[in-house]
Amino acid sequence: MIAFPALRTLLIAATASGLSFGATRAADDFDLSPQQPGRLHAAKNDAAIAAIPKEFKFVTPGKFTIAVSPGGPPLSTYATDAKTVVGADPDYAYAIADSLGLTLEIVPVAWIDWPLGLASGKYDAVISNVGVTEQRKEKFDFSTYRQGLHGIFVKSDSPVTSIKQPKDAAGLRIIVGAGTNQERILVKWSDEDVAAGLKPIELQYYDDEAASLLALQSGRADVIVQPHAQLVFIAARDKNIKRVGTLSAGWPDRSDVAIATRKGGGLADALTVATNGLIKDGTYGKILNHWHLSEEALPASETNPPGLPKY
């Protein structure tokens, strides 16, 4: 998963209780209402419908049933009514359902439960920030729809303006989650810097999101690296951090987020065709832009591309 457990702790409680003051401020940039008046809809895609195998049976006839783990805005979260799931992933799912001529049915699930639920046929697909990995491809099929990115952010008045490669981060104090993919990448960056005669990167670890952000604002750290979407929301909410770069979850290669479906179930190619239709007609880009995630756009969807290797 390209995920954000710390955000789950910090933000789900806030939205479920009617939103914290910080999340309310973010409503200026993100609509978290259950009504979602700005949601985009898509036209039927005959090619995508034709790509669905005749023998394929949806969980509920006439519906596209998908699982979502409401991990936090802007990807997916509970709306201000504490029961409706909203965000970029649900909006994309609605557009896919429209493309297939189906009604969308969203099933909120805990992240840990989606693999078993999908394999057992409880839903047709999972659209919940699932990263493509070689291990997951052994059990599931994938249709990509976003890049898997980590965000590189600094406080708003930081002198650091751009971090694109290892040398840009040499000598900086960077907050990162222990045991995460981004930590693994930054350790490699630091090794490259040392090998080039530059200062190593100093990695810092904190127990929760609030402590991390406080360390950044107080000057105890220079940079924070976490899942990009998470930091996009925090930047809109707090108005005191800015993006200076992004980092592929598969660095040095690209790593993609995808719709997960049952292995060999036959739906993946149709979903790929549907996504490419949304990319071509501009609906896809508008959805990402609506949730401030344009940096995560893919040029085209693929079925079962190379995924993150087993480490």
Side-chain angles (χ1 to χ4, degrees):
M1 175 188 183
I2 302 169
F4 31 87
L7 185 66
R8 188 173 293 119
T9 301
L10 182 65
L11 295 174
I12 284 187
T15 53
S17 62
L19 289 182
S20 67
F21 174 68
T24 301
R25 287 175 58 192
D28 294 339
D29 299 271
F30 296 97
D31 176 17
L32 300 182
S33 71
Q35 295 81 12
Q36 292 295 296
R39 176 175 290 139
L40 294 164
H41 292 280
K44 282 187 180 180
N45 184 325
D46 292 338
I49 294 171
I52 301 171
K54 287 183 171 55
E55 67 275 13
F56 184 84
K57 295 186 182 301
F58 288 93
V59 170
T60 302
K63 291 186 176 182
F64 181 42
T65 303
I66 64 113
V68 174
S69 177
L75 294 181
S76 61
T77 189
Y78 286 107
T80 52
D81 65 355
K83 61 182 181 181
T84 304
V85 181
V86 300
D89 279 351
D91 276 9
Y92 168 70
Y94 274 105
I96 289 290
D98 289 342
S99 298
L100 299 179
L102 301 170
T103 300
L104 184 68
E105 182 77 19
I106 294 178
V107 180
V109 300
W111 171 261
I112 197 172
D113 293 335
W114 76 256
L116 180 59
L118 181 58
S120 64
K122 289 185 177 180
Y123 21 84
D124 302 307
V126 176
I127 301 181
S128 194
N129 203 43
V130 179
V132 181
T133 70
E134 289 303 309
Q135 184 170 3
R136 287 177 181 150
K137 282 169 60 180
E138 295 174 359
K139 296 183 178 180
F140 304 103
D141 286 330
F142 291 96
S143 305
T144 60
Y145 68 97
R146 279 200 343 265
Q147 291 187 62
L149 292 183
H150 302 308
I152 305 174
F153 281 63
V154 298
K155 64 178 183 176
S156 297
D157 60 355
S158 171
V160 177
T161 59
S162 178
I163 298 178
K164 296 181 178 180
Q165 53 190 322
K167 68 178 184 179
D168 299 333
L172 295 179
R173 300 165 297 171
I174 300 181
I175 299 167
V176 69
T180 61
N181 190 45
Q182 54 265 36
E183 179 195 30
R184 178 187 61 80
I185 295 169
L186 289 171
V187 167
K188 289 186 176 180
W189 275 31
S190 186
D191 290 344
E192 286 194 16
D193 286 337
V194 171
L198 301 173
K199 292 182 178 179
I201 296 171
E202 178 188 322
L203 299 182
Q204 296 186 3
Y205 307 92
Y206 294 90
D207 292 335
D208 55 43
E209 195 75 65
S212 297
L213 295 172
L214 179 60
L216 187 66
Q217 290 303 317
S218 66
R220 297 197 305 273
D222 304 304
V223 182
I224 185 168
V225 177
Q226 290 180 0
H228 176 254
Q230 171 184 346
L231 291 174
V232 165
F233 182 82
I234 291 172
R237 182 193 68 196
D238 296 348
K239 314 293 186 186
N240 59 8
I241 63 172
K242 64 181 180 182
R243 181 177 50 232
V244 294
T246 58
L247 176 64
S248 170
W251 182 90
D253 300 315
R254 196 179 77 197
S255 174
D256 294 339
V257 171
I259 308 173
T261 53
R262 289 184 293 281
K263 188 73 176 177
L267 191 58
D269 285 339
L271 297 177
T272 299
V273 172
T275 299
N276 280 323
L278 295 172
I279 292 172
K280 185 176 180 179
D281 72 16
T283 303
Y284 169 84
K286 290 176 182 177
I287 291 171
L288 290 183
N289 185 63
H290 179 71
W291 293 100
H292 299 231
L293 296 174
S294 295
E295 290 78 13
E296 300 189 9
L298 287 174
S301 175
E302 298 177 82
T303 300
N304 292 328
L308 290 177
K310 298 177 182 180
Y311 293 110

